[in-house]
């Protein structure tokens, strides 16, 4: 039983297209995150939701729009894809929004923009 | 802004040798400190963390790390490397003044290779 699952695992698309990545966690956590890992393996937080409320919104282009329909799901929609959006996007979850720092990560969704 | 520096993007050791992965943070107030591991094509997994208390913390798979405030360091060690330790290792901090959120700031990662 996968604790944090993301779909799709691989996504290849053309510049200008719109795409979505979905994430679900079955750990009963109330906080979920999107992280971006670039080609140099550098990880940066993008968004975080706690009980469907947006609590972290880093300086991410507004082409990226997260949505959390319930506390077990967090989706990421990207409009007008650009070459620089190519990366691995990781979903993560934690119990509580305050800094114990133990996050549970999904396996990642590798996005390639051509 | 807080930052995390991992010295050495690649470390190579022989099986059975000591593993030492270095991490330094920049902060006047010690943050919470973490080591995560990423195996190929997988997500990150928490190895160990320091919040308060004992400065030597033990994690999974025989790893441990020591928080040294005077050196602003949190180096990761393992006495004897195993082939299965080959992975990418990330040091991370949670800034204490980020509103308390789990806003992990990661280092650039260190790839550990273990050869026979």
């Amino acid at each position: 039983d996968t604790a944090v699952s993301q779909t799709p695992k691989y996504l290849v698309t053309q510049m200008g297209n719109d795409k979505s990545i979905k994430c679900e966690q079955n750990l009963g956590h109330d906080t979920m995150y999107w992280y971006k890992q670039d080609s140099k393996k550098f990880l940066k937080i993008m968004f975080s939701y706690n009980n469907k409320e947006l609590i972290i919104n880093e300086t991410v282009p507004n082409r990226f729009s997260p949505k959390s329909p319930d506390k077990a799901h967090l989706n990421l929609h990207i409009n007008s894809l650009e070459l620089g959006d190519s990366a691995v996007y990781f979903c993560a979850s934690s119990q509580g929004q305050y800094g114990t720092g133990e996050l549970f990560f999904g396996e990642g969704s590798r996005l390639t923009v051509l | 802004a807080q930052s995390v520096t991992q010295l050495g993007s690649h470390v190579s050791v022989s099986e059975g040798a000591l593993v030492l992965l270095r991490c330094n943070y920049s902060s006047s107030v010690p943050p919470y400190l973490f080591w995560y591991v990423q195996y190929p094509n997988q997500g990150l997994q928490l190895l160990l963390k320091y919040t308060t208390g004992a400065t030597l913390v033990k994690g999974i798979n025989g790893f441990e790390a020591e928080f040294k405030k005077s050196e602003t360091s949190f180096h990761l060690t393992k006495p004897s490397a195993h082939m299965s330790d080959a992975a990418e290792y990330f040091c991370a901090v949670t800034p204490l003044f980020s509103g308390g959120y789990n806003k992990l700031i990661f280092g650039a990662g260190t790839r550990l290779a273990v050869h026979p």
Side-chain angles (χ1 to χ4, degrees), chain A residues 33 97-101 103 106, chain B residues 32 34 36 38 43 100-103:
Chain A
Y33 312 79
Q97 58 183 302
Y98 295 105
T100 64
L103 273 58
Chain B
Y32 294 163
F34 310 87
Y36 277 82
Q38 184 181 24
Y101 302 129
N102 279 325
K103 197 172 166 180

Side-chain angles (χ1 to χ4, degrees), chain B residues 40-52:
Chain B
N41 299 314
Q42 293 188 26
L44 282 76
Q45 179 184 4
L46 181 67
L47 264 183
L48 48 80
K49 66 180 181 182
Y50 170 79
T51 53
T52 57

Side-chain angles (χ1 to χ4, degrees), chain A:
Chain A
D1 234 6
T2 306
V4 182
S5 58
Q6 301 178 226
T7 54
K9 279 194 171 181
Y10 300 94
L11 200 49
V12 181
T13 189
Q14 301 285 335
M15 269 198 319
N17 284 350
D18 303 339
K19 290 294 177 188
S20 293
I21 306 171
K22 297 189 177 201
C23 179
E24 176 182 3
Q25 55 93 4
N26 63 7
L27 297 166
H29 290 164
D30 59 4
T31 306
M32 295 184 73
Y33 312 79
W34 280 112
Y35 277 82
K36 179 181 180 181
Q37 186 175 49
D38 64 23
S39 59
K40 295 185 179 176
K41 297 277 187 175
F42 184 64
L43 271 156
K44 192 162 192 296
I45 191 167
M46 300 173 70
F47 303 103
S48 178
Y49 274 77
N50 173 259
N51 280 319
K52 302 193 295 177
E53 181 188 346
L54 182 66
I55 57 172
I56 295 175
N57 184 354
E58 290 296 280
T59 50
V60 177
N62 57 16
R63 298 182 295 104
F64 290 77
S65 51
K67 276 198 174 54
S68 181
D70 55 60
K71 67 177 188 177
H73 295 84
L74 180 62
N75 303 324
L76 183 66
H77 187 75
I78 316 170
N79 289 326
S80 304
L81 278 157
E82 300 176 357
L83 292 177
D85 298 332
S86 295
V88 181
Y89 292 85
F90 285 99
C91 178
S93 71
S94 70
Q95 184 51 42
Q97 58 183 302
Y98 295 105
T100 64
E102 181 160 10
L103 273 58
F104 292 77
F105 284 81
E107 293 189 348
S109 297
R110 183 176 293 275
L111 172 65
T112 303
V113 183
L114 303 175

